[in-house]
Each structure stands twice: as C-alpha cells, then as structure tokens.
Amino acid sequence: MAVVTVDKLSKRYDSSHELAVKDVSFTVANGEFLVLLGPSGCGKSSVLRMIAGLEPITSGTVSIDGRVMNPVPAKDRDIAMVFQSYALYPHMDVYANLAFGLRRRHVTREEIDRRVQGVAAKLGLIPFLRRKPHALSGGQRQRVALGRAIVRDPKVFLFDEPLSNLDAALRVSTRNELIKQQHELGTTTIYVTHDQVEAMTMGDRICIMNRGQVVQVGRPLEVYRSPTDTFVARFLGNPPMNLLRGRLDPAGERTMLRLGDTAFELPGWTPTAFARQTDREVVAGVRPEDLYESPLPGLEARTVLLPVRVITVEPLGPETLLLLSLGGSDEELIARVGRDTALKNGDQTSIALDTAAVSLFDPTTTKVVTRPS
Amino acid sequence: MAQWLAYLRRTPFLLFIVLYTIATGGPFLWVACMSLRTTPEIFANPYDLPTHLHWDKFADAWTTSNYGTYFWNSTIVVVTAVALVTVIGAMAAHCLARYRFRGRRVLRFLILSGMVVPPQLLILSLFQIMLDYRLYNSLTGLMIVYVATQLAMTVYILEGFFAQIPQDLFDAARMDGYSDFEIFWRITLPIGLAAIFTAVTLNFIILWNEFLYAVVLLTDDSKRTLPLGIMHFMGGHQLDVGMIATGLMIAILPVILLYAFFSETMIRGMTAGAVR
C-alpha cells in the first residue's frame, strides 16, 4: 500500500544535451493503476526507471508515502518491476526465479516455499516449477515474470511494456489476467505502454507523455473525449481524431464554424470563448465515430450535413471506415460507419456531423479552446 | 540419378576432409605408434607398426626419465594460472561489458592490446623483471607470466559474451536486492559458463604447450615443465626418439581429455550470439 509522488522529475543522459524527461509531475494514489502512455522515445520508460532506482535522477524527486526515494538504492525501495523482456534468469528454474528475490531478503526457507507455491498456484505455474525459462511459452514466461513481482509483496508494481512481446490473442488474455491480479492485490501500479488499447482498458488513470513532458493526466474516457491538445487528439483513438482547418464567424450571440464550404452553428459556444482567436482560424477535432451516414433520430437539430466525396471504403467486419474528401477544401477525414453501408469509391454524398462532439484547438499553440460551461 | 549427382557434388568436400584428417591425425598416430616402440626399432624402420607393445616405456619415462616431475610441474603452473586468469579475466570482462565509467575505452584498449604484442618482444625485459623480483627460475614466476600473457585473450573472449547478456537481467537482480559482486557471481558467471569453459580450454591448451617463456625463465631440471622435459631428450649428440614420442603422448593426454569433455560447450561458447 503506497502513494507514489513524482515531482518535477527531469533526466539528462550523459550522451545528450537535451533533457529526455522534463519536469514530470504526477501522483499515484494508494492502490491506483496509472498508465504512462506515449510514443517511443517520449521518456516514459526513463520515468519508470527513475522511480525504480535503476537510473540516476537529474533533478526533481520521487517519493513513496511522503519519503523521498532519490538517495535510496533500488533494492531498498520495496518496488517490484516486470520487464518487457521478462528478464527471467535463464540458468534457474521457475521455482528459483520466483524465490530469488526472497532469498536475498532473508526470508526463511519454509516461508519462501509457502509464498512461491501460493503464487504459482494463483498463476497456474505449478506444473512448470522445475522448468527452465527456455522451455516455457511466451505466455508462461510472462506469468513467471508477474509471479516474481507478486511473490515479493512489494509496495509498488512497475510494468515496462510487459505485453509487447506476446501475440495478439495472448495479449488480450494476459491483459485481463493482469487487471484481475492487480484488482485482487490492490497494489499501487505504474504501467508503461505505447499501446493505447492497453492504456484505455487497464488504467484507472492515463498519463500521456510526449517529448519528455506530461501532456495530460485523466481517466481514460475523459482523456479520450476531451483531449487537451492536438497531440493527444491524434495519439488516442484508432483511427485518430480528424483535425480540420476551420474559420469562426461570430453572429451576434451565436458562433458559426466554417469547414470547407459549410458553415454551421456550434451549440453552447459563445463568441467570448474565442477572445484569443483573433485571426479566427481554428482546428476542429472530430472523432470518426461522431460522423454518421444520416442524422441520428432525435438529434437532427444539432446535426449538420457536410458534402463529401468517398475516396476509399474499408470494411473491417463489425464496422466500415470511409476515407472522405471534404467539399470545398483539400482536407480528408475518416468516418466510422455501420458495416452495411452502400457507399462506394467516388460517390458524392453528405455525412452527418454531431456538432456537440466537435473539439476546437488553437492552431498556433495546438492547445484546446476551452468550451464555456 | 539425383542421388548420384549429390554424391558427386560432395566429392571435393569429402576429399578435402579426408586429406585434412590424414594431415592432422597422421602424425598423431605415427607418434602414438612410436611411443610404444624402442628407439632402435624406430631407427630400423621409422614407419612400421609396433610389433611388440612396449607399455613399460610409459612407466620408464614417468620414473627414470623424470616425466613425472615435469608433468607435476606443468600441472601446478598451468592449473593455477588458468584458474587465476579465469577469475581475474571474468571480473575485468564483467566490468568492461557492464559499466560505463571514465577511461573505460582506454583501459579496454590497453588490456586487449596485449594480444598483439609478440612474446619475443617481451622476453628480454621479462627476464630482467623476473631477476629483479627473484622470480627467475621459479614456478611462481612462470605462473604469474602466464596469467599476465593470457589475460588479454581471456578478457576478449569473455567480454564479447558477457556484453550479450541483456541489461534487464542485471536490473532485475538489482531490484531483487543483489549487490554488484553478487550479480557477477550469481548472474554473469552462471550464464556465461559456456564462454568460461571456452576460455579455460583454450588457455589450458595454450599454456600446457607453452615453450618460449618456460625455456627462458626456468633452468633447474627439477622445475622443468613438460615441453622443456621433452626437449631435454633432443641433445646435441643423442636423440632418443622413442622416449620423446612416449613423453609427447603423456603430454598430449590431458589436452585430449579436456577437449573431449568440453569441446561441445566450447564450440557453443565461441559461436554464441551468432544465431539469435
């Protein structure tokens, strides 16, 4: 049980002049599952390694339960880590791998045996206790790596992309297994991944990083629904959010948004919200699932029809993706529609947009324009 | 037809293997035959097979020709030197492969450059140093020289292997609470066992047959190692071919045994990392 606080954490590697991690701050509550999400090289693994004590901290602090951990060596932080490569000791069998961390901590032989057997039973590893890692499948190795972390009963779990070496089917089942174990144990967990599906499904909260900095922290759906900038908007969601150049036209107390040839009213937005958008240029963010082939029944009032030309139709099975060209502009957008669409390549048609679902971003700062409440 | 062609295509390769085996195995068999024949028999017909097996020559060589002493001297010097060079070399290789410290590249270059210096270049200064430290004509002195000369190759073999051990294993062991030395002892050494066997076998073979340093640094007959002892039978006026052959067989035996036991591990160690 522990609260992990990271405060203004920065990291500069010897070989570089630039900071790999810049002023990263967040707090992980007791028993919380926080996912650090970001593209490769965004510094998320560096943050994790600094929390673990495997990497020296350039500036800032890491605290556990209020105690600053910077000078404490990795072995005394009471943290267990699961590595991307699993890092199983190849010359030891599964039992020895599970017991290795306990042996060093002067746990009695009987207690080690009790805990190893307990964890092995929990993870279904009893039949493999005498096998060496090379004789295990990828999924079994993953479970041993997880077991090695669990058996120590640490204050904090750290995961560094633990599922990325598994095939797609195994990844889903192991993901569910991990969520189940974490819920049962209730141990504070920090999980690094570049896979947004893992982040969305596993995390109590997601911390999105880009270029060494925290961009947004929040609950998965909150981050998905209200991205704070265009990076988060494009990074979360597959296909990502459509970002379209638009112009604002104030009309009295109402605000009109022009996309291509079409101008329409944005419900709930007053011109005061755009006081800083002096040149009236904005970037409009639209999720592919907020575009429909025809207006949703009952929502016609807040729906606008955009003239489009179909470029490609991609049937995925449960749904179909349409790549569209917006009338009166050179912009393309993707719509996620039902699987039984009759649209074909080259069709001229119109697509319905739920205007309440539009996010607006400042084109110069890329930050979101806050919707007036 | 296809079968016949396949055989034909393999013929040059098979021919090469046969010739190579004759070239390397032939002299060995010849010496083995001679080791069981007396010198007059050999002079009468050098290439004959033994008509009467003189096994007693081995006992004779061991006792009256002093091969027992030479064998014992060689064993002490080589086994100790190999043990020391393996431990020191493994620790150095672990540090060079695992830690990034100031001066690492220079240190690595200095150690490995020992491999390219020919022994003939060192022998005079080494002789003087050994005299100064009263290590001339002593087995301890020769042992120290052996450790020093083989260190470069040992570090070279082991560092290459240790560097391939994933960093995650060391990080995991650190998280599990182990110190740097314990990590070396419990992770690097057991995982690098194939490379260590390779280094041990190569060092043993090289040092067991070493002649130049031994002939310069040892003078007493009671301190001679096996290669020197065998040379002893090649005097200016006498040439006891039969006894030389028996001595050679005694000298070769430990190497063959070692290789028979460790050859597979050794090949694994040398080709490790070639296929991932």
Side-chain angles (χ1 to χ4, degrees):
Chain A
M1 295 289 117
V3 177
V4 179
T5 310
V6 172
D7 189 32
K8 293 202 170 62
L9 201 63
S10 294
K11 174 73 192 175
R12 174 182 279 120
Y13 287 99
D14 293 341
S15 52
S16 161
H17 295 293
E18 296 209 2
L19 288 171
V21 175
K22 270 177 275 185
D23 282 340
V24 167
S25 300
F26 57 78
T27 299
V28 193
N30 195 3
E32 190 182 18
F33 195 123
L34 179 87
V35 175
L36 284 179
L37 176 68
S40 309
C42 74
K44 54 194 191 302
S45 284
S46 298
V47 170
L48 199 74
R49 291 175 60 83
M50 283 190 279
I51 296 171
L54 294 172
E55 204 69 68
I57 295 170
T58 307
S59 68
T61 56
V62 170
S63 327
I64 297 178
D65 288 337
R67 185 176 162 223
V68 175
M69 286 288 149
N70 294 35
V72 180
K75 63 189 169 79
D76 299 326
R77 294 191 184 192
D78 202 7
I79 291 175
M81 184 156 166
V82 176
F83 295 84
Q84 182 175 6
S85 64
Y86 315 140
L88 302 181
Y89 309 118
H91 55 300
M92 300 181 194
D93 62 19
V94 171
Y95 188 98
N97 262 286
L98 292 174
F100 194 64
L102 295 175
R103 292 221 171 99
R104 187 67 187 81
R105 287 180 159 74
H106 307 298
V107 181
T108 61
R109 189 180 288 267
E110 294 74 31
E111 174 67 8
I112 290 178
D113 192 58
R114 197 184 61 76
R115 279 160 76 166
V116 169
Q117 296 288 350
V119 167
K122 192 194 256 289
L123 295 173
L125 290 171
I126 295 282
F128 313 112
L129 280 177
R130 287 296 155 213
R131 285 212 200 154
K132 294 269 176 71
H134 66 81
L136 300 175
S137 71
Q140 289 160 350
R141 285 180 207 180
Q142 221 294 330
R143 293 215 296 276
V144 178
L146 178 64
R148 201 169 59 178
I150 293 176
V151 79
R152 285 213 354 237
D153 191 21
K155 278 186 179 170
V156 181
F157 281 143
L158 304 180
F159 291 92
D160 191 1
E161 312 216 6
L163 305 183
S164 55
N165 287 349
L166 300 178
D167 60 49
L170 203 53
R171 197 177 299 179
V172 174
S173 60
T174 315
R175 195 169 74 204
N176 294 333
E177 174 75 23
L178 256 173
I179 298 172
K180 189 181 118 206
Q181 295 295 344
Q182 201 270 345
H183 277 299
E184 277 178 28
L185 298 164
T187 308
T188 309
T189 302
I190 303 175
Y191 185 105
V192 160
T193 183
H194 64 265
D195 183 323
Q196 45 157 321
V197 178
E198 280 173 31
M200 294 293 293
T201 51
M202 300 179 85
D204 292 325
R205 281 190 305 153
I206 302 178
C207 171
I208 299 181
M209 291 186 64
N210 188 30
R211 297 184 182 171
Q213 287 176 303
V214 172
V215 191
Q216 188 172 6
V217 185
R219 301 200 162 274
L221 281 179
E222 178 186 309
V223 177
Y224 183 80
R225 278 281 156 210
S226 321
T228 56
D229 70 4
T230 51
F231 168 78
V232 179
R234 297 285 300 178
F235 192 72
L236 273 189
N238 184 25
M241 188 181 252
N242 297 297
L243 295 179
L244 307 166
R245 274 175 288 124
R247 259 186 86 79
L248 292 169
D249 291 318
E253 279 304 296
R254 303 184 309 166
T255 298
M256 305 293 285
L257 173 67
R258 177 176 293 278
L259 292 177
D261 286 340
T262 317
F264 54 92
E265 186 190 344
L266 285 177
W269 292 81
T270 52
T272 49
F274 309 108
R276 295 199 302 137
Q277 264 61 46
T278 46
D279 56 1
R280 303 185 184 285
E281 297 284 327
V282 287
V283 173
V286 179
R287 290 270 175 214
E289 61 269 27
D290 292 325
L291 294 164
Y292 307 90
E293 279 188 271
S294 55
L296 291 182
L299 292 179
E300 289 87 350
R302 63 179 219 204
T303 306
V304 65
L305 292 175
L306 301 173
V308 290
R309 188 173 57 83
V310 179
I311 301 174
T312 52
V313 178
E314 294 178 2
L316 298 180
E319 67 206 10
T320 299
L321 298 181
L322 303 174
L323 179 61
L324 308 165
S325 159
L326 184 63
S329 80
D330 55 355
E331 299 210 73
E332 292 179 352
L333 66 164
I334 295 175
R336 188 197 295 268
V337 297
R339 60 182 165 192
D340 38 11
T341 179
L343 291 171
K344 304 184 300 296
N345 295 0
D347 282 358
Q348 293 285 350
T349 179
S350 60
I351 194 102
L353 163 67
D354 180 359
T355 54
V358 175
S359 302
L360 295 179
F361 301 94
D362 186 319
T364 44
T365 64
T366 73
K367 297 287 178 211
V368 75
V369 180
T370 322
R371 185 188 292 255
S373 50
Chain B
M1 186 67 184
Q3 190 74 25
W4 182 79
L5 258 177
Y7 279 129
L8 196 72
R9 211 171 288 146
R10 263 189 289 172
T11 308
F13 178 69
L14 285 173
L15 207 66
F16 172 76
I17 294 284
V18 168
L19 286 177
Y20 184 80
T21 311
I22 291 171
T24 51
F28 175 76
L29 283 178
W30 189 32
V31 173
C33 288
M34 286 199 291
S35 72
L36 293 169
R37 304 168 71 204
T38 62
T39 304
E41 279 174 12
I42 294 167
F43 277 137
N45 187 356
Y47 302 107
D48 208 2
L49 289 173
T51 44
H52 180 252
L53 300 175
H54 294 278
W55 290 108
D56 50 303
K57 277 181 69 194
F58 280 85
D60 211 29
W62 194 260
T63 48
T64 53
S65 300
N66 233 358
Y67 275 127
T69 313
Y70 306 148
F71 192 93
W72 181 237
N73 289 343
S74 267
T75 306
I76 289 180
V77 172
V78 173
V79 168
T80 324
V82 167
L84 281 177
V85 81
T86 306
V87 172
I88 298 171
M91 290 200 275
H94 174 75
C95 291
L96 288 175
R98 203 44 60 191
Y99 304 112
R100 297 284 169 268
F101 51 88
R102 197 176 287 274
R104 173 182 161 272
R105 290 167 68 101
V106 177
L107 192 68
R108 185 171 177 278
F109 176 78
L110 281 177
I111 293 177
L112 296 190
S113 60
M115 281 201 302
V116 295
V117 183
Q120 290 83 349
L121 213 67
L122 299 174
I123 200 81
L124 271 182
S125 44
L126 209 52
F127 177 75
Q128 190 59 47
I129 293 170
M130 288 291 141
L131 272 182
D132 291 350
Y133 284 89
R134 293 158 190 256
L135 288 168
Y136 177 68
N137 194 24
S138 86
L139 293 180
T140 316
L142 187 66
M143 199 176 71
I144 294 172
V145 170
Y146 280 176
V147 170
T149 51
Q150 289 313 112
L151 193 63
M153 190 194 75
T154 312
V155 170
Y156 180 74
I157 293 174
L158 295 182
E159 191 211 345
F161 192 92
F162 290 173
Q164 289 170 4
I165 303 177
Q167 179 64 31
D168 279 358
L169 286 182
F170 298 92
D171 289 339
R174 268 173 77 191
M175 303 284 300
D176 273 341
Y178 289 85
S179 68
D180 285 349
F181 185 77
E182 284 170 317
I183 290 173
F184 167 72
W185 195 251
R186 288 164 173 273
I187 306 290
T188 306
L189 280 191
I191 294 176
L193 214 56
I196 288 181
F197 278 140
T198 307
V200 165
T201 314
L202 283 179
N203 278 329
F204 186 87
I205 293 171
I206 291 170
L207 293 182
W208 189 259
N209 297 325
E210 205 285 327
F211 182 76
L212 183 66
Y213 289 122
V215 79
V216 175
L217 299 176
L218 297 175
T219 47
D220 280 7
D221 186 50
S222 66
K223 288 180 180 153
R224 283 198 173 111
T225 54
L226 264 176
L228 295 189
I230 294 164
M231 262 306 279
H232 186 55
F233 287 89
M234 297 188 199
H237 304 287
Q238 55 129 357
L239 187 65
D240 193 345
V241 180
M243 217 27 124
I244 292 175
T246 313
L248 278 175
M249 285 317 287
I250 292 176
I252 289 169
L253 211 63
V255 177
I256 290 180
L257 282 180
L258 189 79
Y259 192 78
F261 277 116
F262 291 138
S263 64
E264 244 175 74
T265 339
M266 183 166 132
I267 289 161
R268 229 186 318 142
M270 291 206 282
T271 56
V275 183
R276 277 253 130 189

